[in-house]
Amino acid sequence: MSIQRQPALRLETSWMPASEERNQAYTLTLKNLSSKSIADFSLCISGPGRVDPAVQIEGGTIGRRLSNFTEFLPPENFELEPGNTWTLTISALSWPFQHWTDGATGAYVAFGNGSTLSLSVEPTRSLANNAPLKRGAEIYPVPGNPPVPVAIVPWPNEVSVSGKRSVPPGFTLDANTPPAIAAAAAFTSLVEQLFAVEGIVRPASEGGMPVTLDVVEGLAPEAYGVSFAEEIVRISASTQTGLLYGLITLGQIWRGAHLYPRAFRFPVEGVIRDEPSMGWRGLHLDVARQFYGKAEIKRLLAILAWNKVNRFHWHLSDDEAWRIEIDAYPALTEVGAWRGHGLAIPPLLGSGAARTGGYYTKAAVREIVAHAKELGIEVLPEIDVPGHCYAMQQAIPELRDPQEAGSYHSVQGFPDNCVNPAREKTYEVLETIFRELIELFPFKTIHIGADEVPLGAWSGSPEALAKLREIGGDAIAEAHAKRLNVITNTHGADDIEGSGAAVLQSVFLARIQKFLAEQGCITGGWEEAAHGNVIDKTKSYLCGWRSVEVSAALAGQGYEMVVCPGQVYYLDMANSPDWDEPGASWAGWSEPEKLYNFDPVEGWSVEQKRNLRGIQACIWSEPMTDRAVFDRLVFPRISALAESAWTKPAHKSWERFKAVAGLMPVLYAYP
């Protein structure tokens, strides 16, 4: 395959929402800027918005389609002459566009001779809204007279400080025990990574103020105390992480007073006593839809630590890609980690014709996990099964019944994307993969997904139908077989409770969870892992993503819950319903103030709250081709989530949080 890069063609896309007078219209206009006609070509695009089979198209037809990748064919014998345009108008999309990131974010022209021409892609314009498009984090200005004297996020349990002294140039850390030495080293590395030129840690020869780190008995694992005196600061905790959190609080106070001396102060005396209200304060990152390099992951972890977030849920596989090295199955990364024209996985979500992607070597994973551990963060990997396995199946086709007929589709538009619960090969492969993962992730928690299995999954597999007949009888097997080639998943994830798909998934989940428990691991799953009520509740937990009510109900059934409802805690959702905001919209929208004030356990009983592990924000990466969009969607909402997980509700204040949030670091700092 050859790739041309001459800017001979230009693609423009626009969106017209439906009204009483007109239908919706997604328009793609390809203009020939060259001096030659082009023929025998097709236009290939990808982006978060999907062009479903049922759409109406004027000006062309659909060639190949996979999820959000679509190939458009011009009319037969069509030539695009110099200066002319080819226009496609698409209507009747199953999910109308809501935001400027919904349209094409990657495009190229493919020619009959096998060559391709990459196209630059501008954001899709709305013909009903011409407001400037928003990118980059919204940085709240620090007010001249903030409601608190010191800058801390998340806000501690007790802040009792007074006086104002000149801000010390930095701190000299006095550590004499192994936990204190490790905490001092971690903090020094952290501030060098986040604020390299500020010199927060510096030697006494440069005027560093002494900070003594004391290991004391009797405090909770993440609790700490900070005491201020005229010439010294003392931090006490029972653990390395507690000491690190005390140093982070001190560092935040210093930065506030150093950068905004008229607004914030560095105390002369007083104490801070603190510990989190929730044990699980998490962030989930999907690296399958978009790949993030090791340096990006390590800086993100540093930012999480600065927010006292202590769990990193690493979503390493999905339909779109496989992202971690597995020695036993090199094809997983050789095939599943890459997308491009002519490859097993076509360009998706903004990738173009060229081969793009990546994966994490085992050496990189060990480095990242060790870095996280130093920062008080436990890392848990997710391998999403039995659904969301399109990429895995391209690498290991034996995971599908060779006699399987017909087709079913996931909500994201991937065909036949579930590994088969009736195949012994499935368990052989997955147990091998999980054994390799367990060696890399000492937290001994493995998340197995279990979400969004289509209603028709395995309905054309003789092996699966035989298994279903064996465990459920003829009636359920025959009913399930009738779902073959029946289109579901047109407007949302199927509810499979009580179906043949749910029965087969429960067989799968029971076996996988039992295997992981035998390896000494806790099994994580999305809320659909409760189907069939087959997993051991004492050795598992669920992430509740549909609503607080669903999470509450599952907690009432005895499942330990991490609450992460899509309507509020999914950070890929836009900050507002406006077109000029980037992000997704299927679960709604959630501005920072809405997220901050959200009560994740509203209406829960005392018994249900006993099964609350904590809360977690989730970053799904469909709109993140543009990293400035990442900043816009994640910051300051991750800090709002962190404070919701750490600070007692009675101590929360949006105005206080907003006055300080602008001091928190962002990942890319793109404009």
Side-chain angles (χ1 to χ4, degrees):
M1 179 184 72
S2 63
I3 299 177
Q4 306 173 41
R5 298 194 181 278
Q6 301 88 342
L9 299 171
R10 184 175 69 206
L11 177 67
E12 296 178 350
T13 64
S14 65
W15 171 256
M16 176 64 78
S19 68
E20 293 182 359
E21 296 80 26
R22 62 177 182 268
N23 293 327
Q24 59 173 249
Y26 177 37
T27 302
L28 299 92
T29 302
L30 184 67
K31 185 170 185 177
N32 186 353
L33 303 176
S34 72
S35 59
K36 296 181 180 180
S37 296
I38 64 169
D40 189 22
F41 71 93
S42 61
L43 172 65
C44 301
I45 68 165
S46 67
R50 292 187 296 276
V51 179
D52 298 320
V55 298
Q56 301 168 8
I57 302 180
E58 297 178 13
T61 56
I62 292 178
R64 185 185 177 198
R65 173 187 170 275
L66 178 71
S67 183
N68 54 78
F69 169 84
T70 308
E71 178 188 37
F72 294 102
L73 306 176
E76 190 174 356
N77 299 320
F78 177 81
E79 287 193 20
L80 184 56
E81 297 179 349
N84 285 1
T85 60
W86 172 38
T87 299
L88 290 156
T89 303
I90 304 162
S91 58
L93 293 174
S94 64
W95 187 263
F97 293 176
Q98 303 291 324
H99 301 282
W100 66 265
T101 47
D102 284 339
T105 51
Y108 64 96
V109 169
F111 296 97
N113 64 6
S115 67
T116 63
L117 176 64
S118 297
L119 302 175
S120 61
V121 180
E122 294 295 320
T124 297
R125 293 181 300 113
S126 171
L127 300 181
N129 183 324
N130 61 359
L133 305 182
K134 294 175 180 174
R135 302 168 70 250
E138 181 177 3
I139 307 298
Y140 296 140
V142 174
N145 186 25
V148 287
V150 289
I152 309 171
V153 174
W155 192 250
N157 279 349
E158 179 188 344
V159 179
S160 180
V161 296
S162 61
K164 179 179 182 179
R165 57 154 289 166
S166 59
V167 182
F171 302 107
T172 301
L173 308 183
D174 179 12
N176 297 305
T177 62
I181 293 169
F187 181 72
T188 301
S189 174
L190 178 62
V191 295
E192 286 178 352
Q193 186 174 7
L194 294 177
F195 317 110
V197 301
E198 295 182 15
I200 297 176
V201 175
R202 61 177 65 208
S205 61
E206 295 183 7
M209 183 180 190
V211 176
T212 299
L213 305 182
D214 293 331
V215 177
V216 299
E217 295 182 358
L219 295 182
E222 295 178 304
Y224 66 89
V226 183
S227 62
F228 296 88
E230 183 69 34
E231 299 298 335
I232 193 169
V233 177
R234 190 174 297 276
I235 295 175
S236 56
S238 296
T239 66
Q240 173 187 331
T241 298
L243 292 171
L244 175 62
Y245 285 165
L247 284 166
I248 289 170
T249 292
L250 179 63
Q252 291 181 354
I253 292 172
W254 181 90
R255 293 193 75 243
H258 175 69
L259 298 174
Y260 296 91
R262 295 182 180 179
F264 297 111
R265 68 181 63 170
F266 193 89
V268 174
E269 59 184 0
V271 296
I272 294 172
R273 297 184 180 90
D274 199 14
E275 66 179 284
S277 62
M278 295 185 187
W280 188 290
R281 308 176 304 281
L283 179 72
H284 158 285
L285 178 65
D286 156 31
V287 299
R289 276 57 179 258
Q290 307 289 349
F291 181 68
Y292 303 80
K294 181 179 71 173
E296 293 172 283
I297 299 294
K298 291 182 72 173
R299 178 170 169 85
L300 178 61
L301 289 168
I303 293 172
L304 295 185
W306 198 253
N307 284 273
K308 302 187 179 80
V309 170
N310 68 350
R311 298 288 184 269
F312 180 57
H313 176 161
W314 204 357
H315 188 91
L316 290 165
S317 76
D318 216 298
D319 293 306
E320 292 84 352
W322 180 280
R323 299 296 192 198
I324 187 167
E325 179 180 35
I326 299 296
D327 293 335
Y329 302 105
L332 284 169
T333 48
E334 292 170 356
V335 175
W338 308 97
R339 305 196 287 254
H341 182 73
L343 300 183
I345 305 173
L348 297 169
L349 296 167
S351 57
R355 179 178 180 265
T356 57
Y359 64 93
Y360 305 101
T361 65
K362 286 190 169 183
V365 170
R366 291 187 182 98
E367 182 179 337
I368 288 167
V369 170
H371 176 66
K373 185 69 174 178
E374 292 171 355
L375 299 176
I377 300 169
E378 298 287 3
V379 183
L380 56 133
E382 178 182 351
I383 300 299
D384 202 349
V385 287
H388 289 283
C389 289
Y390 184 85
M392 188 193 301
Q393 290 181 321
Q394 302 313 298
I396 311 176
E398 299 90 338
L399 295 171
R400 194 168 187 233
D401 181 351
Q403 304 303 315
E404 189 167 355
S407 202
Y408 58 88
H409 286 79
S410 73
V411 63
Q412 288 84 11
F414 286 94
D416 313 315
N417 72 330
C418 302
V419 295
N420 199 308
R423 304 216 83 207
E424 197 58 32
K425 183 70 174 180
T426 296
Y427 303 101
E428 173 192 325
V429 169
L430 290 180
E431 289 176 8
T432 300
I433 290 170
F434 287 136
R435 282 192 178 95
E436 292 196 28
L437 287 181
I438 291 166
E439 293 179 359
L440 294 172
F441 294 93
F443 187 44
K444 295 283 223 162
T445 299
I446 307 292
H447 199 288
I448 63 170
D451 61 314
E452 296 184 331
V453 167
L455 190 61
W458 314 296
S459 54
S461 163
E463 292 178 359
L465 292 173
K467 173 64 73 173
L468 190 56
R469 184 171 286 106
E470 173 190 331
I471 59 179
D474 291 341
I476 193 169
E478 291 168 6
H480 194 57
K482 292 177 181 178
R483 291 198 169 101
L484 185 62
N485 295 328
V486 175
I487 294 177
T488 61
N489 276 313
T490 54
H491 296 285
D494 284 334
D495 180 2
I496 68 170
E497 185 66 41
S499 69
V503 172
L504 288 167
Q505 175 173 268
S506 68
V507 171
F508 171 87
L509 293 175
R511 181 161 172 180
I512 293 295
Q513 191 264 316
K514 182 175 182 291
F515 166 79
L516 289 174
E518 289 170 349
Q519 314 308 309
C521 291
I522 296 295
T523 299
W526 300 102
E527 63 190 44
E528 292 96 322
H531 286 317
N533 196 30
V534 295
I535 60 176
D536 184 344
K537 297 183 179 70
T538 67
K539 298 176 182 177
S540 62
Y541 76 96
L542 302 179
C543 294
W545 64 272
R546 291 180 189 267
S547 69
V548 168
E549 290 77 17
V550 170
S551 292
L554 291 169
Q557 295 171 29
Y559 291 98
E560 289 195 13
M561 299 300 300
V562 171
V563 179
C564 45
Q567 304 90 336
V568 186
Y569 288 168
Y570 272 28
L571 301 188
D572 52 313
M573 296 299 119
N575 282 285
S576 87
D578 298 334
W579 175 266
D580 52 284
E581 286 283 3
S585 59
W586 61 264
W589 61 274
S590 176
E591 64 180 347
E593 184 175 2
K594 177 182 176 182
L595 188 154
Y596 183 87
N597 289 321
F598 179 73
D599 181 358
V601 291
E602 182 178 5
W604 286 40
S605 68
V606 172
E607 182 178 350
Q608 288 169 328
K609 289 179 181 178
R610 290 194 186 102
N611 287 319
L612 175 70
R613 282 197 170 202
I615 60 177
Q616 176 171 288
C618 297
I619 301 172
W620 299 98
S621 292
E622 284 90 341
M624 308 299 191
T625 310
D626 181 343
R627 292 299 207 251
V629 168
F630 185 103
D631 277 355
R632 180 78 187 174
L633 293 172
V634 175
F635 306 105
R637 290 195 289 185
I638 186 59
S639 294
L641 182 283
E643 185 151 311
S644 295
W646 182 285
T647 305
K648 292 180 179 179
H651 295 162
K652 290 179 66 179
S653 162
W654 168 251
E655 291 306 315
R656 189 256 313 137
F657 172 83
K658 188 176 181 182
V660 179
L663 287 162
M664 300 301 282
V666 301
L667 186 54
Y668 301 104
Y670 289 162

